Structures are given as C-alpha cells and as structure tokens.
Amino acid sequence: MQRAGAEEAAGAQAAAGGPGRSGAEVAAAPAGRLLRRELRLLESIFHRGHERFRIGSACPDEISCEFVPGAGARAGASAARGPPPGPVRIHCNITESYPAVPPIWSVESDDPNLAAILERLVEVRKGNTLLLQHLKRIISDLCKLYNLPQHPDVEMLDQPLPAEQSTQEEVSSEEEDEEMPEDTEDLDHYEMKEEEPADGKKTEDEGIGKENLAILEKIKKNQRQDYLNGAVSGSVQATDRLMKELRDIYRSPSFKGGYYAVELVNDSLYDWNVKLLKVDEDSALHNDLQILKEKEGTDFILLNFSFKDNFPFDPPFVRVVSPVLSGGYVLGGGAICMELLTKQGWSSAYSIESVIMQISATLVKGKARVQFGANKNQYSLTRAQQSYKSLVQIHEKNGWYTPPKEDG
C-alpha cells in the first residue's frame, strides 16, 4: 500500500496513488502468482453453492464472501428461540505488498462480536498463505460464535496450493505490463499547501461570493447562540481554523471552477460533505461517472470529512459515502488508504483543499472504478472506522510503502 501524504506532501513530488512497475514490484511478481493460486484454491473449495461459506467474487486486490449460519445456528444462548441469523457478508482488501502486509478485512455488520473476530486476526502467524490462514481462522471463529460444528472443508485450506496455470492470455498480459511502463508523466497530484504567512493578508472576506458569505455569517450566528445557550461544541482552536479553511476554500479558484463542492452537514462546522465534481477526463473513473449520471442522475463522488476538537493537530476522518468504488485505495466501508489521513502522516500545516485535491488524484491514480449494482449499504461510518482502525494497526507494524522517486 502506498505511503501517501507525508514526505511526498512536503516535497515537490507528492505521490497520490499506486506507483508504476518498480523494481520492488517486479521482485514481488512471485508473490502475485502465489496469491492467484490461493484464490483458485479458495474458489474451488468455497464455491457459490457451498452450504457454509461462499466466495462471491475474488480478484488479486479484493474478495467478497459470506458465511451462512443456516437454520440450526444460534448466536449464544440468548438467541436460542429467535429466528436463524442471516448471512454474514465479509470483504477483504489485499495490497500490492501482500503477504508482507496482511489483508484488511471488514464486515457488513455493526455486531461487536463480528468485529472482534476480525481484530483477532493479528494473532495469526504470518506466512506465504496468510490469506488462507486468515479465512480458516474467520470461518472457525464464526462457527464457534453461532454454536456450529467446525465444517470439514476448513481443513482443506491447509492442503498444497494448485500448480500455476499460466494461460497464453495471462503470459501476454504480464509481458505487456513489463514492456509498457506506466505513464511517467507527473501524477495529477497536488502539493500539500501550507498556511500562508499573515503578512500582506487580504481582508477576511475578499474574493468570497455572497452566497458563501451568507453561510459564514450563519455559522457565526449559530456559534453566538450556542454560547448564549451554554451549548458550545468543539474547541476555539478547531473552530477558528475550520472557519479559515472554509473561507480559503470559498475564494479558491478550484472551488469556483467547479472541481469540488462543500456542504456543512446540519450546519455543523465539524462535519463536511465534499463532492468531487471533476476528475481526470482521460480516466476510467470519469467515464464511469458519466454512466452513473445516465443511470442515477449523479456524476460526483461524495466524501465525508469529520473533524475533532483537536483539529488541526489530528487529521480529519475521511470516507467515501457514494458511489461504491473498487480500487483507488478505497477500503471496506469507504475508508481511504492514505498515510496523509493518519496521525503518522498528518501535518497541522496542511490545508483542507489540498487534502481534497490529493484524494481526487489518488482515486484516479489508483484506478478507482464505480461498482454499478453494488450494495450501497456496505458503506457506513462504523464499517469505515473499522477498516481504518485495521489499516492503522497494520501500518504501525509494517510501515508504509514509498515508491522510488523514478516512479513518480
């Protein structure tokens, strides 16, 4: 997974997505073939008609599966007389650094028992077939949770992997990847702008449209009223900084040019919805958004920024709300895999507009695609926080991947 937003943000070349085919990636090619063999074994055992566990879809960077408790299942004694539990839908994101970096799991449920099962995966000893060992642990723990006997097929995950089966098409594809280096042109990334010095500062509201000035005035009025009512929320430092960020955005050429839009959720300065209205016109994501407009009437990516009282010293929590995406470093629940958005990679000097534009560039560079027909309920705050927590734990142990400078 890419290290995005720390050293790159401070320098002139801030990496915003996956790198080109570097020497490290070429060296990792055997790991990629090993992963494909793991996936073939999984699909052969837990096919879509399996009675207990089913692999719905599997590719080298993402897996969707479900555990089927069945009619005889009961989650503890308290549920003995209730209706049988429904399928447990589980998602897995796999980075290019696998198996050095473990898979990242999320579950379509707010049940803390299910979240605990995924958190315990850090206990699984690392190995070349870490994906299989993770799934073995997940299925075993789910059987225990629902008071079900261990399914015999689980032991098949310990068998030797099937032999490599490289078709001519796969060989051609790999050769093409090696011979056709990714575009070395600078990524459409954006240097993380730091706070400008106060010297020569323009008047506070200069360059801001009337409609947006009215929003700022409404925020001030609400803050005064909250103070009088003794219901002040947030902190002075965070409120002052967020007001400044909002003013800077309202006078920004990118904002005025329609690259993105910002709306405050319930007039809260600490909760923003950000619409990415323009992405690289040469990208597959741009084409997907045009199709989305024809189908659903929307052609933007909706992000949510949530700020805490200690902003700007801690980063905002950012997640994708809609549409459901694959690739682009978007994880289960809509969390985004960028070091920039973690305490480790964040700097209080970063402007929110730069973060917005960096995310937009990362989605394109990471080859994000709209998943038409996907279950929209799989994106939620709880699930995004769950994925983010796992992400942080993994990278605290393994560090972040920084592409060589020659890869941009």
Side-chain angles (χ1 to χ4, degrees), residues 47-310:
H47 49 81
R48 295 187 180 184
H50 196 275
E51 61 180 359
R52 182 67 66 229
F53 194 81
R54 300 166 183 171
I55 302 294
S57 63
C59 60
D61 60 359
E62 190 171 8
I63 301 173
S64 294
C65 47
E66 66 177 17
F67 179 85
V68 185
R74 55 186 181 87
S78 61
R81 295 185 179 181
V88 178
R89 292 181 175 85
I90 303 168
H91 300 278
C92 173
N93 293 95
I94 306 171
T95 74
E96 65 264 34
S97 301
Y98 176 84
V101 174
I104 300 172
W105 298 89
S106 62
V107 60
E108 289 188 22
S109 172
D110 298 334
D111 186 342
N113 292 317
L114 298 176
I117 287 175
L118 299 186
E119 289 172 5
R120 287 197 294 270
L121 292 175
V122 295
E123 302 168 3
V124 177
R125 187 175 180 180
K126 285 189 177 181
N128 288 335
T129 58
L130 187 57
L131 175 63
L132 300 184
Q133 296 311 308
H134 271 194
L135 274 172
K136 182 178 179 181
R137 179 68 174 268
I138 289 171
I139 299 169
S140 298
D141 285 357
L142 285 171
C143 285
K144 291 177 184 176
L145 177 64
Y146 291 106
N147 295 297
L148 295 168
Q150 180 72 275
H151 199 283
D153 287 353
V154 172
E155 299 305 320
M156 296 175 67
L157 293 172
D158 290 329
Q159 68 178 302
L161 295 177
E164 181 75 19
Q165 296 177 353
S166 298
T167 63
Q168 185 61 43
E169 183 179 347
E170 289 174 333
V171 171
S172 300
S173 176
E174 289 179 6
E175 289 176 350
E176 183 179 324
D177 286 343
E178 292 175 5
E179 294 171 5
M180 298 283 292
E182 198 162 312
D183 190 358
T184 55
E185 189 177 303
D186 281 346
L187 162 69
D188 292 337
H189 59 240
Y190 299 81
E191 295 180 26
M192 304 305 298
K193 297 177 183 176
E194 300 192 355
E195 291 299 292
E196 296 178 359
D199 298 341
K201 184 180 179 182
K202 297 180 180 179
T203 59
E204 195 173 68
D205 296 333
E206 185 177 342
I208 300 177
K210 290 182 179 180
E211 181 181 346
N212 295 322
L213 281 173
I215 293 173
L216 293 171
E217 189 57 39
K218 184 178 181 180
I219 293 171
K220 292 179 185 176
K221 182 179 178 181
N222 290 342
Q223 288 172 345
R224 287 194 293 268
Q225 190 61 47
D226 287 345
Y227 178 79
L228 293 173
N229 295 339
V232 178
S233 60
S235 66
V236 174
Q237 70 176 19
T239 297
D240 288 349
R241 177 62 179 269
L242 286 168
M243 285 293 285
K244 181 187 183 307
E245 292 288 347
L246 202 53
R247 284 194 190 93
D248 289 346
I249 282 173
Y250 285 157
R251 63 168 66 96
S252 157
S254 295
F255 176 80
K256 292 179 178 179
Y259 284 87
Y260 66 93
V262 174
E263 298 173 356
L264 303 186
V265 180
N266 297 323
D267 295 327
S268 171
L269 193 57
Y270 288 77
D271 193 3
W272 298 14
N273 277 343
V274 175
K275 295 178 180 178
L276 300 182
L277 303 172
K278 293 182 181 180
V279 297
D280 184 351
E281 293 184 356
D282 294 328
S283 67
L285 181 58
H286 176 269
N287 294 335
D288 286 351
L289 291 175
Q290 298 307 305
I291 296 172
L292 187 67
K293 184 176 183 179
E294 295 176 4
K295 289 187 173 184
E296 301 182 15
T298 58
D299 59 349
F300 57 83
I301 295 168
L302 180 61
L303 307 174
N304 179 259
F305 281 61
S306 177
F307 301 91
K308 293 183 179 179
D309 295 354
N310 53 356

